[in-house]
Amino acid sequence: MNFDPRFSGRKFTSVGTRPIRPDGVDKVTGRARYGADFNMAGQLVGRVLRSPHAHARIVKIDTSKAEKLAGVKAVITAADLPDLTNGDAAMYDVLDNCMARTKALYDGHAVAAVAAVDARTARQALKLIEVEYELLPHVTDVDEAAKHSAPLINDAIFTEGLEEKPVKPSNVTKRSQFGHGDVHQGFGHADFIVERSFKTEQTHQGYIEPHACVANFSSDGTADLWVCTQGHFVYRQHCAQLLGMEASKLRVTSSEIGGGFGGKTHVWAEPVALALSRKAGRPVKLVMTRDEVFRASGPTSATSIDVKIGARKDGTITAAEATLRYSCGPYAGSWAEIGAMTAFACYKLDNVKTVGYEVLVNRPKTAAYRAPSAPMAAFAVESAVDELAKMIGMDPVDFRIRNAAQEGTRSSYGPVYGPIGIGPTLEAVKSHPHMKAPLGKNQGRGMACGFWFNFGGQTCTDLNIGMDGSVSLAVGTVDVGGSRASLSLVAAEELGIAYEQVKAIVADTSSLGYNDMTDGSRGTFSSSMATISAARNAIKILRERAAQMWDIAVDDVVWEKGHAIAKGEKHGNLGKLSLKEIAVESGKTGGPIAGHSELVADGAGVSFATHICDIEVDPETGATRVLRYTVVQDAGKAVHPTYVEGQYQGGAAQGIGWALNEEYIYGKDGRLQNPGFLDYRIPVCSDLPMIDTQILEIPNPNHPYGVRGVGETSIVPPLAAIANAVSNAAGVRMTHIPMSPPRILAAIEAEREWSK
């Protein structure tokens, strides 16, 4: 059955309501099973030995003493995970990150692992492994690493994207460029120009649940993996490739997930657990400690960004330019490329140029964090935009409205926009009561815009109708933000039945066709599209069964509000058949009734948001207090408005922590000094105000219900909105994130000295 994904403009009965979440009771009563809650008979405890050095050559590893310890069933090193990547550089980096081969590239890099009968024995075994290191010079700062004089992390890396092929290796792995027009000419037409440099420090996603898995390798070459992940199909592909397995022989089941935010899109310990299980011949459970999560799993990039923007007296931007340097950890990435694409995406610009540089550093391999790379770019650009508006003498909202992108605008990264929400969010902010509320002494207000692409991708869904009229919906996108409730609403909407009749589950990799990773805000967008398609396929069968029961042509049967109806005067005496009535008779009319869908969900629809923030700054200590925060964002169509509001609020809360407190702190020895929530401070309830939200709905033309992804855009504006608020409150432009009290105080004191 051909599926038409175009927006239909229909009226909704179920979609847009706020039913109770189906997983809520299990989670608050402790019945829900997360990564570390699964156990198997005879399982062993896995532990990983990690490098205490930021950069070191591994001269020798002696595991003999550990292997002889009573209770130890397996010890592995890189030799037990041979290179089977067939020249795939990206997969080789994944392999090397899971278990160091010739060099330890950061503090916390895995060098060996053990499986033992209990945790005490496993810890003892790690102490018996002898590793001889040759210490090498290290570099952890993105600007220092980009210098020609910096210690080389990988002498096989030559910068890609340059006009001339380099002859010397470098820590800069790639140069990316986007834009159009002539920025040099554009700056020549500017009456005002702002040019500044900005820095952001590395942050962690802050998920509460550590990485955890149970691996069971069977003697017949098949294996099972229970794991907390954002994409169990991708984990299957990666683990199978690294262990030399056929993907079909590895079944991966995703547990409930205690937060991911992009941090659980990469494999870290899972291939190690599988290798231990294969060697030991028994199941192996491996749970990272909090220290390991910080030292050895993926944080964001640290960045260094230069921005230059020019405008005429009337407030029209004539040119915009940015150079962005993003750290990748010790492996190549595309983080600066994404930052360069998103930097000026909110604006209609005739002359724009962005250049991104990916930079290797001796820190953990960088991973996604909710709209990866965009918050840092927005911080730099939106700070400069605010400063430019002030220089011209325009209200910052009006300045942005004048230059906002709109339908038909050629984006700064290439594509031409369709219907978009940046203008409506700005108009909503301009008229919002928050913008008119009075401010007190040492208080400042800031606002900023943000953009995210959103993704779709490969998606597969099964919809099965039980004989009692219940509907089981099997999806392959992991529920990281309430998608089971949203998808149940979508199925109920299409079938015309009550939400309570639908139960959504996340199927394992052997029960359903391939699904891409739940990232890029694709979960509800792509799986709702597949659910609509599957439901419509099921409705086709329901109509056929009803026609058979009535002994009439199927073309004379329509489906309305959960019932088959015989149309036409000649069938006026037939009444109607409910879904349940048809399902009850399914055994006599052809067997089970189900709908299936596999598709590539294109046209995800870009997303925009505008945030407002009020901050109070203590000029004597630099301490800050967030007084009020408002999020305005386009959702396309809010399937479950409560979940949408929660996504908005969650992104804002994480952005507040990132802007004011959170950062990885490395010592001169290259070791992480704050690997835990005691010293790496995420916001608690007392740090946050009630976060107000306003949902706008500008339909996505490429989805039947108009849905856009909402989970990531909300973290893009906060860094800039808060920086603008702090700058206005403190009377000095803040250019370094996080704006911790010492940094704010130093900026205030420097401004006082300069003013003398």
Side-chain angles (χ1 to χ4, degrees):
M1 181 178 177
N2 292 328
F3 175 67
D4 184 358
R6 291 175 298 179
F7 176 62
S8 60
R10 65 185 287 170
K11 292 184 178 180
F12 298 103
T13 303
S14 295
V15 166
T17 61
R18 301 173 184 256
I20 295 173
R21 57 188 299 164
D23 55 334
V25 173
D26 283 353
K27 286 182 174 177
V28 299
T29 57
R31 286 199 298 267
R33 293 204 296 174
Y34 292 87
D37 292 330
F38 187 73
N39 295 288
M40 295 186 71
Q43 75 183 19
L44 303 172
V45 175
R47 288 287 186 273
V48 178
L49 182 67
R50 302 187 179 278
S51 168
H53 307 295
H55 196 195
R57 195 176 312 281
I58 301 171
V59 178
K60 185 174 70 172
I61 301 180
D62 184 352
T63 63
S64 57
K65 292 179 181 177
E67 290 167 354
K68 293 174 184 176
L69 181 67
V72 172
K73 303 300 180 182
V75 181
I76 66 167
T77 63
D80 297 280
L81 280 168
D83 180 12
L84 304 174
T85 60
N86 297 318
D88 185 332
M91 284 307 299
Y92 180 82
D93 286 349
V94 174
L95 175 66
D96 188 71
N97 188 53
C98 289
M99 189 64 68
R101 319 195 84 68
T102 59
K103 292 200 299 182
L105 297 172
Y106 56 90
D107 168 37
H109 199 168
V111 296
V114 304
V117 293
D118 55 38
R120 181 176 176 275
T121 305
R123 287 193 297 269
Q124 225 178 329
L126 291 184
K127 294 177 182 178
L128 294 175
I129 298 174
E130 297 174 358
V131 185
E132 183 181 339
Y133 295 100
E134 176 193 340
L135 299 188
L136 300 171
H138 64 270
V139 59
T140 58
D141 179 77
V142 62
D143 284 324
E144 292 299 317
K147 294 179 179 177
H148 294 296
S149 58
L152 271 180
I153 294 172
N154 186 339
D155 56 15
I157 292 288
F158 293 80
T159 308
E160 297 178 12
L162 300 178
E163 290 184 6
E164 294 185 12
K165 188 175 181 179
V167 295
K168 292 184 178 181
S170 170
N171 288 331
V172 179
T173 69
K174 184 180 179 181
R175 179 188 185 275
S176 304
Q177 182 174 322
F178 299 91
H180 53 259
D182 186 331
V183 291
H184 179 74
Q185 187 179 62
F187 284 121
H189 294 151
D191 296 310
F192 300 93
I193 293 176
V194 166
E195 190 169 5
R196 275 200 185 269
S197 296
F198 301 86
K199 282 188 77 98
T200 70
E201 297 300 332
Q202 195 165 49
T203 53
H204 194 268
Q205 298 87 350
Y207 41 82
I208 301 302
E209 178 199 26
H211 298 271
C213 66
V214 176
N216 184 32
F217 220 104
S218 300
S219 57
D220 62 359
T222 63
D224 281 275
L225 181 68
W226 166 280
V227 61
C228 54
T229 172
Q230 290 179 238
H232 47 316
F233 288 89
V234 175
Y235 273 40
R236 178 188 65 177
Q237 302 297 109
H238 288 183
C239 289
Q241 185 175 349
L242 296 183
L243 275 82
M245 302 174 63
E246 293 179 22
S248 60
K249 292 187 175 181
L250 176 60
R251 181 176 63 176
V252 182
T253 303
S254 64
S255 68
E256 291 287 352
I257 185 167
F261 314 111
K264 291 175 182 173
T265 57
H266 300 245
V267 295
W268 309 104
E270 295 78 16
V272 174
L274 282 163
L276 284 169
S277 177
R278 179 169 61 182
K279 192 167 186 177
R282 287 169 60 176
V284 173
K285 184 173 187 175
L286 203 163
V287 181
M288 278 189 171
T289 64
R290 185 67 59 191
D291 178 274
E292 289 179 300
V293 168
F294 273 94
R295 291 172 61 218
S297 67
T300 64
S301 299
T303 73
S304 172
I305 303 173
D306 305 321
V307 175
K308 182 179 180 181
I309 309 177
R312 291 197 293 264
K313 294 176 182 177
D314 66 357
T316 303
I317 295 176
T318 61
E321 187 175 17
T323 301
L324 309 96
R325 295 165 292 275
Y326 280 60
S327 67
C328 302
Y331 305 103
S334 57
W335 309 109
E337 182 177 7
I338 299 172
M341 293 173 75
T342 63
F344 293 107
C346 291
Y347 299 106
K348 177 176 61 178
L349 303 169
D350 292 330
N351 306 292
V352 58
K353 177 183 176 182
T354 58
V355 179
Y357 294 96
E358 319 289 347
V359 185
L360 301 184
V361 293
N362 292 116
R363 295 192 182 205
K365 176 181 169 67
T366 298
Y369 181 11
R370 210 170 185 165
S373 302
M376 305 83 129
F379 160 61
V381 168
E382 291 293 299
S383 294
V385 165
D386 230 53
E387 194 168 2
L388 186 56
K390 186 175 182 180
M391 188 182 291
I392 295 170
M394 283 187 72
D395 177 85
V397 180
D398 290 335
F399 182 67
R400 287 172 171 85
I401 289 173
R402 184 176 187 84
N403 293 285
Q406 54 195 265
E407 185 173 359
T409 294
R410 183 185 178 188
S411 68
S412 57
Y413 63 96
V416 175
Y417 290 135
I420 57 174
I422 180 62
T425 66
L426 283 164
E427 294 291 351
V429 161
K430 183 177 181 180
S431 60
H432 199 283
H434 186 163
M435 290 299 290
K436 302 175 179 64
L439 291 168
K441 185 180 179 183
N442 299 323
Q443 294 177 359
R445 176 168 296 136
M447 54 82 56
C449 302
F451 159 89
W452 186 242
F453 310 96
N454 291 332
F455 303 128
Q458 300 178 76
T459 313
C460 183
T461 298
D462 274 337
L463 186 150
N464 293 279
I465 299 174
M467 293 183 70
D468 60 353
S470 64
V471 174
S472 175
L473 182 66
V475 301
T477 44
V478 176
D479 185 352
V480 297
S483 60
R484 279 172 292 189
S486 297
L487 297 175
S488 296
L489 283 170
V490 169
E493 186 72 49
E494 279 296 315
L495 294 171
I497 60 177
Y499 165 81
E500 291 75 17
Q501 287 178 248
V502 185
K503 181 175 177 59
I505 63 165
V506 180
D508 66 57
T509 58
S510 294
S511 304
L512 198 63
Y514 182 84
N515 281 260
D516 280 329
M517 183 72 65
T518 304
D519 61 3
S521 297
R522 67 172 296 271
T524 297
F525 167 77
S526 61
S527 280
S528 66
M529 194 178 287
T531 298
I532 293 168
S533 175
R536 290 177 182 177
N537 289 335
I539 288 170
K540 180 176 180 290
I541 298 171
L542 287 163
R543 289 175 52 239
E544 291 171 351
R545 300 297 179 85
Q548 186 177 341
M549 292 167 70
W550 282 327
D551 194 22
I552 64 174
V554 69
D555 289 342
D556 289 343
V557 181
V558 296
W559 190 262
E560 293 179 2
K561 298 180 180 179
H563 293 80
I565 299 174
K567 63 180 181 180
E569 293 182 5
K570 60 183 177 180
H571 302 311
N573 63 332
L574 289 180
K576 56 186 179 180
L577 290 171
S578 69
L579 180 145
K580 183 176 181 179
E581 288 170 330
I582 299 170
V584 166
E585 299 296 324
S586 60
K588 302 174 184 176
T589 59
I593 300 172
H596 182 76
S597 175
E598 59 280 313
L599 50 78
V600 177
D602 292 324
V606 296
S607 176
F608 293 90
T610 303
H611 292 198
I612 318 166
C613 177
D614 292 353
I615 292 275
E616 184 174 274
V617 176
D618 185 335
E620 301 303 318
T621 65
T624 56
R625 186 163 64 98
V626 183
L627 304 171
R628 187 173 180 180
Y629 203 101
T630 300
V631 177
V632 180
Q633 184 174 322
D634 171 25
K637 176 61 186 177
V639 177
H640 192 304
T642 302
Y643 276 123
V644 172
E645 291 163 352
Q647 291 293 329
Y648 291 2
Q649 292 164 332
Q654 289 177 311
I656 289 169
W658 191 343
L660 297 176
N661 293 306
E662 299 179 38
E663 66 175 309
Y664 275 39
I665 299 172
Y666 278 85
K668 292 182 179 179
D669 59 359
R671 301 198 67 185
L672 183 62
Q673 296 183 337
N674 59 333
F677 286 137
L678 181 63
D679 296 311
Y680 180 94
R681 192 174 182 281
I682 63 173
V684 295
C685 290
S686 58
D687 296 315
L688 301 172
M690 293 300 293
I691 297 170
D692 297 325
T693 61
Q694 184 175 344
I695 300 173
L696 302 185
E697 295 185 326
I698 294 87
N700 174 11
N702 302 308
H703 187 283
Y705 293 179
V707 170
R708 300 177 191 267
V710 300
E712 293 177 282
T713 313
S714 54
I715 203 172
V716 181
L719 274 62
I722 295 165
N724 289 334
V726 171
S727 298
N728 291 333
V732 57
R733 173 54 55 183
M734 299 301 300
T735 60
H736 194 163
I737 294 288
M739 294 169 289
S740 56
R743 283 203 181 103
I744 293 174
L745 191 59
I748 291 172
E749 291 174 348
E751 181 71 13
R752 288 171 183 162
E753 287 297 315
W754 184 84
S755 300
K756 285 182 179 179

